[in-house]
Every structure is written in structure tokens, then in C-alpha cells.
Amino acid sequence: MSALYLISPPRIGPDFADALAAALDAGAVSAFQLRLKDAAEDDICRAVATLMPVVQARDVAFILNDRADLAARLGCDGAHLGQEDLPKGGVKGARALLRDASLGVTCHDSRHLAMEAAEAGADYVAFGAFFPTATKEAKSHAEIEILAWWSGLMEVPCVAIGGIDAGNCASLVEAGADFLAVIGAVWHHPDGPAAGVRAMLAAMG
């Protein structure tokens, strides 16, 4: 059974906290990742201060993208790091910074990177992109079989990401993805974020 992992849109406005609360109240979301790639550090800190209480009040994990150091300093539940965002010492260095907080690592379509990350202390690995996505230019295209291979071999959970929506997620669930990470399927849903969450959860079974 897969769980829903919600990622913020690339840019958020002053009313985003209300939209986030509505989305989280619509159904079971396991984690929320704040992903503001082009934002200044001060803006990220303000966003964390505003949004983390909304998320944690609903028993959802608050994950910060890119910055293990900032996640540790601000008391986030964890950090998600791309290969280019790893600190000195790589995954082990990030693990040391985060201590007991959760560490997720993007592994694209690489079994080798995923094995290395798991052995170095990652709490989950992320594979993708599985489908075309407008959120960012995908650096790799992952085949669904990598999820089945990973889930049959490793206890470390895996996250599927990249163009996932209610219409295409069933194959990822069947393949053994522990989490489905979504952006547009929720925030761009024609009936609003709450409807997007409900649609995803219904499709995930």
C-alpha cells in the first residue's frame, strides 16, 4: 500500500498556508516537502515558520528540500536532498547533520546510487521521473520495474516521483512504491487541492 507524499509548488503565495491546510485535511498525507528552489534563505526560513506548524499539527512530517543544515537548524522532521545538494561527506555527512531527523535522497534511475544512499544512512530513496512532468526538467526517466526490484530487495522505503497523477499511479502502487510524491496532481487540480488529494487517495486504493 502506497502513501501520499505531498510536495509544495515551486512558488507559494501568502494564502498558501490555507491551501495546504485544506489539502492535508482532505485525507491521509504522510509527508509534506517544502521545495522552493529559487528562494532566498530568509524566505525559506519564513515559509518554514509559517507552514511547519500547519503540517505538524496534523501529524504529517515536514521535510525541507535541498538544505540538510537548514532543516536541522529549524527543527524540521527531515530533509530531502538531490545528488547535487549533498553536503561535504555526501549522504553520511547529511546523516550526521540531521541526526535523528529523516533523510531522503534522490537517486534518479540509478540502482547504484540508491544502494549507496541506503548503506550510508538514508531513510528513503526517491526514483523518477516516471512520467513527463512540467514541474522541472527531468534529469532521468525511471522504469517502473526499478520499484519492484527495490521493494523486493531492500527494507528502506522508496518514493516514486515525476508526473504522477490519479490517472497513472496504479502501476506504481502495484510495483511496490512506498510513497507517491505529487505536486501538480494536487495543486493544479481543477477543483482545488483538497479535491486533488481525495482523487489521488481514491486512485491509490
Side-chain angles (χ1 to χ4, degrees):
M1 187 70 165
S2 303
L4 191 59
Y5 185 130
L6 186 56
I7 300 178
S8 73
R11 292 175 182 80
I12 59 175
D15 58 346
F16 181 71
D18 291 336
L20 177 58
L24 297 180
D25 288 340
V29 176
S30 291
F32 169 77
Q33 182 189 132
L34 182 64
R35 184 179 180 276
L36 304 176
K37 283 284 187 184
D38 301 322
E41 183 172 311
D42 285 350
D43 293 332
I44 294 172
C45 291
R46 280 192 289 271
V48 170
T50 299
L51 301 176
M52 189 159 63
V54 174
V55 173
Q56 292 180 335
R58 290 159 173 82
D59 292 323
V60 176
F62 187 93
I63 308 296
L64 184 62
N65 183 258
D66 288 353
R67 296 284 302 273
D69 58 335
L70 207 52
R73 194 175 92 210
L74 298 176
C76 299
D77 296 308
H80 180 91
L81 306 178
Q83 293 294 320
E84 66 279 6
D85 305 312
L86 292 168
K88 185 177 180 180
V91 176
K92 287 185 177 179
R95 175 75 282 157
L97 276 172
L98 289 166
R99 299 188 181 181
D100 294 333
S102 179
L103 170 60
V105 179
T106 294
C107 297
H108 304 297
D109 60 346
S110 173
R111 301 180 185 209
H112 174 70
L113 288 176
M115 294 290 286
E116 281 192 336
E119 290 168 2
D123 292 294
Y124 69 83
V125 298
F127 295 113
F130 287 95
F131 306 107
T133 172
T135 302
K136 67 173 185 175
E137 186 176 344
K139 295 182 179 179
S140 62
H141 172 73
E143 299 295 336
I144 291 174
E145 65 187 19
I146 200 170
L147 298 172
W149 166 79
W150 183 264
S151 62
L153 183 69
M154 301 292 289
E155 292 186 5
V156 173
C158 64
V159 175
I161 191 170
I164 299 168
D165 59 31
N168 62 24
C169 68
S171 60
L172 304 174
V173 174
E174 291 167 7
D178 296 288
F179 299 91
L180 301 186
V182 298
I183 304 172
V186 167
W187 306 116
H188 297 158
H189 193 281
D191 296 323
V197 168
R198 287 192 292 268
M200 279 300 307
L201 292 174
M204 291 162 63

